[in-house]
Amino acid sequence: MKILIAAEAGFCFGVKRAMKMTERVVAQGCGEGEKVYSFGPLIHNPQVINRLKEKGVEVADRVEDIENGTVIVRTHGLAPQRMEELRQRVDHVIDATCPYVTKSQSYASQLHKEGYHVLIIGDQNHPEIKGVIGFVNENYTVINTVEGAGKLSFYPKLGVIAQTTFNVGKFNAILSTLSEKANEIRIFNTICDDTFVRQRSAAELAGQADIMIIVGGRNSANTNKLVEICRSIQPRTYHIEEVQEIENIDFQDVQSVGITTGASTPDWIIADVVERLKNLPIHSAVT
Ligand code: F3S
């Protein structure tokens, strides 16, 4: 059995940056009675979060849970009001918001200031979108389907942005339905470059492999998008979070297995997955 690894796998640029910032804070250590917190899990990968916990990084979900110390704002960013609350609460706030998310926030703010109704294409429960909403007050709508676009009211000025990890094909499909929804439409494609190339290389691999394994947190939006894309091409697509889940996959008649990962999956987990596959009763070669 051949093992094919997608050209784009492992941590994305934003996650690598956030991890480096966090490691720097951990290495510097804290003062007496101080702690290091991430505001929400730093990334959507439980194994990495556990390792960070072992190094003393606590996850705080509410501002009230934070005592004195340093708070790291994760890649998804925060609404400005929430960022201000954190700054009032502690002396040290490390902003690890991914620069792609910062750009998206500033486009949302600009559109809002220029009088556009802001249409956000993404998942309204995702932390990134909750943060972006903080930049546009009440003047916004969040949708994530073509059907949702069909139900939109008519606006004189409509400004469109996307969740940075949104499915590129779906984004384009939604855009193609918007022309009747406003007199003027301004679009910022805020899907990040990493998402674009990762989705493309996953789709290419899904077209070649007999089975696709997507490795990443079940709560990771970008991982779930990869599963959706690969499954539409290769129905034998499996989403795993832990390496031992490979045991539940049926490899009958499989000559080649493709592997890709969400943006929060570190290289050491990919190596574990490859190792486990190589040790299956079927002989495997990695390419
Ligand atoms: Fe940033 Fe894109 Fe990663 S928005 S955190 S580079 S998936």
Side-chain angles (χ1 to χ4, degrees):
M1 186 172 72
K2 252 193 198 167
I3 301 172
L4 310 161
I5 301 171
E8 303 299 326
F11 280 165
C12 67
F13 149 76
V15 167
K16 270 188 202 150
R17 179 175 171 272
M19 289 297 292
K20 264 194 199 142
M21 290 166 97
T22 306
E23 275 155 17
R24 216 175 295 139
V25 171
V26 169
Q28 278 163 2
C30 291
E32 181 83 19
E34 292 184 347
K35 288 181 181 172
V36 178
Y37 301 89
S38 70
F39 194 58
L42 187 70
I43 59 174
H44 280 156
N45 186 291
Q47 295 99 313
V48 174
I49 297 304
N50 284 339
R51 286 196 172 190
L52 288 172
K53 258 185 210 153
E54 284 162 17
K55 292 181 180 175
V57 181
E58 288 190 20
V59 177
D61 292 314
R62 302 177 315 157
V63 177
E64 310 85 271
D65 297 335
I66 296 169
E67 290 153 26
N68 204 13
T70 300
V71 183
I72 301 157
V73 173
R74 56 188 173 169
T75 54
H76 303 125
L78 276 183
Q81 307 83 344
R82 192 49 62 87
M83 189 70 99
E84 193 44 43
E85 281 169 31
L86 283 183
R87 293 208 160 105
Q88 299 288 334
R89 184 90 182 174
V90 290
D91 292 338
H92 308 290
V93 176
I94 306 290
D95 186 1
T97 305
C98 176
Y100 285 106
V101 174
T102 307
K103 206 190 224 179
S104 180
Q105 292 171 340
S106 79
Y107 283 140
S109 170
Q110 178 191 334
L111 288 167
H112 174 61
K113 282 181 193 147
E114 291 176 6
Y116 289 85
H117 182 83
V118 181
L119 180 64
I120 304 166
I121 300 182
D123 171 6
Q124 62 180 349
N125 296 315
H126 191 275
E128 176 191 328
I129 300 306
K130 287 184 178 167
V132 168
I133 286 171
F135 288 80
V136 295
N137 294 331
E138 296 298 305
N139 196 17
Y140 72 91
T141 304
V142 184
I143 58 165
N144 60 8
T145 59
V146 168
E147 293 73 39
K151 291 181 194 148
L152 281 175
S153 308
F154 185 87
Y155 297 97
K157 289 169 77 171
L158 193 61
V160 185
I161 60 165
Q163 186 170 336
T164 51
T165 51
F166 202 72
N167 179 327
V168 178
K170 242 175 155 183
F171 178 65
N172 290 331
I174 291 171
L175 290 185
S176 69
T177 67
L178 293 180
S179 58
E180 309 283 293
K181 296 293 180 185
N183 285 330
E184 183 196 332
I185 302 183
R186 188 132 186 238
I187 299 164
F188 289 109
N189 182 349
T190 49
I191 297 174
C192 79
D193 292 351
D194 183 278
T195 296
F196 181 75
V197 288
R198 195 177 289 259
Q199 290 181 359
R200 191 179 54 193
S201 74
E204 278 168 13
L205 198 52
Q208 297 165 21
D210 298 328
I211 254 186
M212 276 301 286
I213 298 178
I214 320 294
V215 193
R218 302 220 186 278
N219 58 349
S220 157
N222 74 81
T223 307
N224 287 316
K225 303 270 164 42
L226 292 173
V227 174
E228 182 182 86
I229 290 166
C230 290
R231 200 164 278 153
S232 71
I233 299 164
Q234 172 50 270
R236 292 177 82 179
T237 291
Y238 296 88
H239 179 179
I240 65 166
E241 193 173 87
E242 309 258 359
V243 68
Q244 55 272 25
E245 292 172 57
I246 285 175
E247 311 297 335
N248 305 329
I249 299 175
D250 177 7
F251 287 94
Q252 210 178 351
D253 302 326
V254 170
Q255 304 298 322
S256 58
V257 50
I259 302 173
T260 191
T261 76
S264 301
T265 301
D267 288 347
W268 59 266
I269 293 186
I270 303 175
D272 282 357
V273 169
V274 169
E275 208 41 46
R276 186 66 72 111
L277 285 170
K278 285 187 348 199
N279 289 322
L280 285 173
I282 320 151
H283 175 70
S284 307
V286 187
T287 59

